[in-house]
Amino acid sequence: MKKIIIILFCIVFFLATKDLLPTEVYLDISRGFAKKIPVALSISGDKDEKTKKILVSDLQRSGLFSPLINDDENEAELLIKLNCSLKLGLFRLEGIVRNITTGSGFVFGKRYQGKYPLMRNIIHRFTNDLVKKITGEKGIALTKICFISDESGAKEVYLVDYDGQNKKRVTFDKIIAACPDWSEDGKNLVYLSYLNNRTEIFFHNIKSNSRKILCSYPGLNAFAAISKRGEIALTLSKDGDPEIYVMQKNGSHLRRLTYSKGIDASPSWAPDGKKIAFVSDRSGSPQIYILDLSTKKVRRITYQGSYNTSPAWAPEGNLIAYTSKREGCFEICIINPDNGEFKAITSGPGSKEDPSWAPNGRQLVFSKKLRYKSDLYILDICTEKNYPLITGKGNYISPAWSPK
Amino acid sequence: MGKKAVILGILALALGLGFNGCAAARKKPVSETKAQVVKPISPAEEEKIEEESIVALKGKSIPLAKAPEGRAFAEPTAEIRYIFTDIPFDFDKSEIKREVRATLDRIASWLRKNRDARLMIEGHCDERGTGEYNLALGERRALSVRRYLIGLRVPSGKLHTISYGESKPADPGHNENAWAKNRRVHFLIAQ
């Protein structure tokens, strides 16, 4: 698989600017204030049914489009025309997108080519290009999610595509792995493993499948989170109490950041890398706090309820998702750390925990425990609808969405 | 505070001697004979233990020592299992409950007597908290047991911690009974 190099041919069509969809209008859509764009599909050639299935899933998962599966083109705003061919193991896709509400407004066109096993990848690329053209933002169709599952009998790290396909096991330690996260470039994973009968943070290169121990201090080594600049925040108890520390990606320049008695855990970087959200029980119950790295000042942001944990700072904008205990069940909430406004974005049966943002800041992945079994779900924060990512015979927990 | 430490120390010592007496009367394992030929604690060491116990009694943190390489921690042997019983905790709490003090006194005196032994303090939680937070809570439970033992004049270098959060329940059930059993500190020993 890794030997296969994708060859991409792009035909640059000449675009008349007036024919482009006005970007600003569609940016509103991406924030969820307007309805989804109805899209008609016209797919022809080899593997057309399979292509359609993947594309429809991509369009639905983008949260931006509603594909008109029954070809009711009268309601459509966009028309996607795909022509596919499969010859000698090579899959070719030619895509043309038109805005059909304003005459024959040409939006974009591109041709893709790659070995047949990369078919899904090629369609994901087309979706990303479409999203970029419509919203100006990067699509998420090529992102992955890492998580922990016990389906093999022990808790191991796994990877899966954002649409629940291509599940791949990363660790084979037959012990316990926990709290995985991504490096800022999306090429490495960090996670905790009990491989050597203690808690240690491993740094694992996905492509080469090689890893090293990043830190192994006495006591707890956990919750490693990597900032966009490549700094690692984590919890260590080596000084006799669980505290937040930061260090460089190679494990050097360790600095202690918190000095409170009790638990300081689960750090999550602000997108600018200047603040860290974390959980502390310094008030007597677990609550979310923010640490300003320049002033070293710590500020509590959650005051509702007696159990608020696992903060996840949105990749853009000022929003923190977290897990909150409400009437005996855990729900995912989002809070604006500046004014303290918050709301629950999940409801219904089951305990939801451990949110992690998609890089577009529109979707969240979380685990939902129902009748003592956990599965992973994706939630669109604009529609507040969720759908399963991974369900199966094991438990699926601690998801982390890749940054790219 | 200082006075309290001394009193506690004497108490612990007294208890330790008492228990040693019982153990010796019943059986004399090789490790115990060995423990008796170990040279006495030097005044400097004694002073360090005293200082640490005062710090611990004030509720302050004491840095952890690296766990010894090449020494395997195992379940306590049959003869001493009665000493190292699990320490229960309340939900979302890491405070030492009044009713477990006698157990910890017993453990402290055994450790003060068996000077080569090392203790692994495992912190566990029930399944009702969130997974990540439970990992931190388990560690805090282990650390609070550790602090209590240091307060009873156990040298900090003998005490190591590990948290398993909710991933190693003692009872796999999903009811109050099981949860109470799972909110615990469990002990392993390297002798």
Side-chain angles (χ1 to χ4, degrees):
Chain A
M1 189 72 167
K2 60 188 166 191
K3 279 180 197 159
I4 302 165
I5 299 159
I6 319 158
I7 314 151
L8 284 172
F9 290 101
C10 307
I11 296 178
V12 180
F13 289 90
F14 290 99
L15 312 172
T17 322
K18 65 180 165 64
D19 285 341
L20 279 171
L21 292 169
T23 307
E24 301 89 279
V25 171
Y26 285 97
L27 276 178
D28 269 356
I29 292 166
S30 77
R31 303 243 157 86
F33 302 122
K35 67 180 179 70
K36 292 178 182 178
I37 308 169
V39 184
L41 307 173
S42 160
I43 298 168
S44 58
D46 303 326
K47 300 283 168 193
D48 55 337
E49 280 307 311
K50 194 176 173 191
T51 301
K52 187 173 180 178
K53 210 174 146 198
I54 299 167
L55 182 65
V56 166
S57 149
D58 273 0
L59 294 174
Q60 284 168 337
R61 281 169 194 271
S62 74
L64 300 167
F65 306 101
S66 62
L68 304 166
I69 299 164
N70 299 322
D71 302 319
D72 188 3
E73 288 188 22
N74 293 333
E75 289 170 25
E77 279 179 40
L78 292 179
L79 170 67
I80 297 178
K81 249 185 122 162
L82 295 186
N83 193 358
C84 320
S85 77
L86 178 61
K87 278 191 193 95
L88 299 167
L90 213 58
F91 181 73
R92 283 199 177 91
L93 179 92
E94 189 183 276
I96 292 172
V97 182
R98 291 181 187 282
N99 179 349
I100 50 179
T101 57
T102 59
S104 61
F106 180 81
V107 179
F108 93 104
K110 214 166 177 180
R111 191 180 286 168
Y112 307 79
Q113 174 178 301
K115 295 254 172 84
Y116 179 58
L118 292 169
M119 178 182 177
R120 301 189 71 85
N121 184 292
I122 286 167
I123 297 162
H124 292 335
R125 272 169 204 275
F126 170 78
T127 306
N128 272 0
D129 288 339
L130 176 66
V131 169
K132 176 89 185 169
K133 206 80 207 175
I134 300 294
T135 66
E137 289 167 18
K138 219 172 158 275
I140 54 164
L142 287 166
T143 57
K144 288 176 187 294
I145 288 153
C146 66
F147 60 93
I148 299 289
S149 177
D150 60 359
E151 62 177 29
S152 70
K155 287 183 174 173
E156 306 278 8
V157 180
Y158 288 76
L159 281 174
V160 70
D161 287 355
Y162 93 116
D163 57 359
Q165 301 292 321
N166 290 328
K167 187 175 69 182
K168 195 182 136 196
R169 187 165 156 190
V170 177
T171 59
F172 294 82
D173 296 329
K174 298 186 178 76
I175 186 144
I176 303 166
C179 38
D181 202 4
W182 295 83
S183 65
E184 77 289 0
D185 55 11
K187 291 175 180 165
N188 303 283
L189 297 173
V190 279
Y191 53 84
L192 180 169
S193 175
Y194 289 79
L195 183 64
N196 299 314
N197 292 320
R198 48 182 177 247
T199 59
E200 293 175 309
I201 306 289
F202 284 73
F203 190 83
H204 191 127
N205 186 279
I206 297 166
K207 202 174 170 189
S208 69
N209 205 23
S210 61
R211 63 180 180 177
K212 61 179 182 186
I213 295 170
L214 201 60
C215 68
S216 174
Y217 290 101
L220 185 68
N221 298 257
F223 319 127
I226 306 184
S227 76
K228 281 184 184 164
R229 287 185 294 187
E231 279 180 296
I232 300 180
L234 75 170
T235 293
L236 301 173
S237 68
K238 69 182 187 68
D239 291 329
D241 206 40
E243 305 283 356
I244 309 277
Y245 296 73
V246 282
M247 63 186 186
Q248 295 303 309
K249 208 159 61 181
N250 60 8
S252 70
H253 295 87
L254 186 75
R255 275 192 298 144
R256 181 170 166 180
L257 295 181
T258 57
Y259 289 88
S260 89
K261 196 179 154 188
I263 292 167
D264 290 308
S266 301
S268 170
W269 291 92
D272 64 5
K274 291 175 179 165
K275 288 175 188 159
I276 290 172
F278 65 99
V279 179
S280 177
D281 69 346
R282 61 187 69 188
S283 69
S285 65
Q287 300 291 345
I288 313 291
Y289 292 73
I290 288 179
L291 169 79
D292 187 313
L293 289 167
S294 54
T295 63
K296 299 278 185 298
K297 275 193 181 140
V298 170
R299 184 165 64 86
R300 178 172 167 183
I301 59 163
T302 55
Y303 288 92
Q304 189 81 13
S306 63
Y307 200 104
N308 295 307
T309 63
S310 53
W313 213 310
E316 279 168 33
N318 220 358
L319 220 45
I320 294 170
Y322 62 98
T323 308
S324 184
K325 193 177 199 176
R326 302 180 140 220
E327 289 150 19
C329 239
F330 291 114
E331 301 290 351
I332 309 297
C333 292
I334 48 176
I335 187 167
N336 176 331
D338 291 338
N339 59 21
E341 274 178 28
F342 70 97
K343 66 168 180 172
I345 50 173
T346 54
S347 59
S351 238
K352 301 95 186 171
E353 61 177 276
D354 244 337
S356 171
W357 294 88
N360 64 4
R362 188 190 166 101
Q363 280 103 338
L364 281 165
V365 59
F366 62 93
S367 76
K368 178 156 87 180
K369 194 198 268 182
L370 198 57
R371 288 184 285 276
Y372 308 107
K373 177 174 149 34
S374 296
D375 294 303
L376 298 184
Y377 285 77
I378 286 175
L379 172 82
D380 188 310
I381 64 159
C382 302
T383 61
E384 294 185 13
K385 286 197 173 123
N386 65 69
Y387 50 89
L389 171 72
I390 284 221
T391 60
K393 61 183 164 117
N395 287 292
Y396 304 89
I397 56 167
S398 301
W401 210 311
S402 70
K404 312 191 159 174
Chain B
M1 273 302 179
K3 222 179 224 173
K4 199 175 166 192
V6 173
I7 294 168
L8 269 173
I10 292 166
L11 210 72
L13 208 67
L15 271 166
L17 288 172
F19 273 103
N20 175 43
C22 297
R26 259 205 327 272
K27 205 178 173 187
K28 221 170 190 183
V30 186
S31 62
E32 291 223 350
T33 344
K34 256 190 191 166
Q36 280 156 8
V37 280
V38 166
K39 65 176 187 299
I41 303 172
S42 72
E45 254 178 290
E46 198 64 73
E47 199 177 315
K48 190 177 169 245
I49 292 168
E50 178 65 30
E51 275 170 22
E52 279 186 345
S53 93
I54 291 167
V55 172
L57 287 168
K58 282 180 181 162
K60 289 187 180 162
S61 323
I62 293 157
L64 290 161
K66 220 170 172 50
E69 299 282 344
R71 284 185 72 176
F73 286 91
E75 293 289 336
T77 52
E79 309 93 81
I80 55 169
R81 195 160 298 151
Y82 74 98
I83 301 174
F84 296 92
T85 50
D86 285 0
I87 307 294
F89 288 86
D90 288 336
F91 175 70
D92 197 27
K93 294 280 179 268
S94 53
E95 282 82 26
I96 303 293
K97 299 209 268 188
R98 188 173 287 272
E99 63 260 35
V100 301
R101 287 184 186 170
T103 308
L104 292 172
D105 288 346
R106 220 157 59 206
I107 290 170
S109 55
W110 188 90
L111 286 167
R112 282 179 52 75
K113 170 105 196 21
N114 293 271
R115 291 180 50 212
D116 266 354
R118 301 286 194 110
L119 187 68
M120 182 59 77
I121 309 169
E122 289 185 355
H124 299 269
C125 305
D126 70 30
E127 61 181 348
R128 289 177 301 163
T130 54
E132 265 201 19
Y133 186 73
N134 272 345
L135 202 49
L137 180 62
E139 183 71 11
R140 195 167 179 213
R141 284 177 177 161
L143 288 166
S144 84
V145 164
R146 174 178 175 269
R147 193 177 298 129
Y148 195 88
L149 292 174
I150 295 170
L152 295 175
R153 300 168 56 82
V154 176
S156 68
K158 294 163 76 79
L159 305 170
H160 308 283
T161 61
I162 189 165
S163 171
Y164 286 103
E166 61 185 61
S167 57
K168 277 191 168 184
D171 184 331
H174 305 294
N175 52 57
E176 283 295 344
N177 230 337
W179 293 329
K181 266 188 228 164
N182 294 337
R183 292 189 303 267
R184 72 205 192 275
V185 149
H186 181 74
F187 299 103
L188 297 183
I189 292 175
Q191 269 182 287

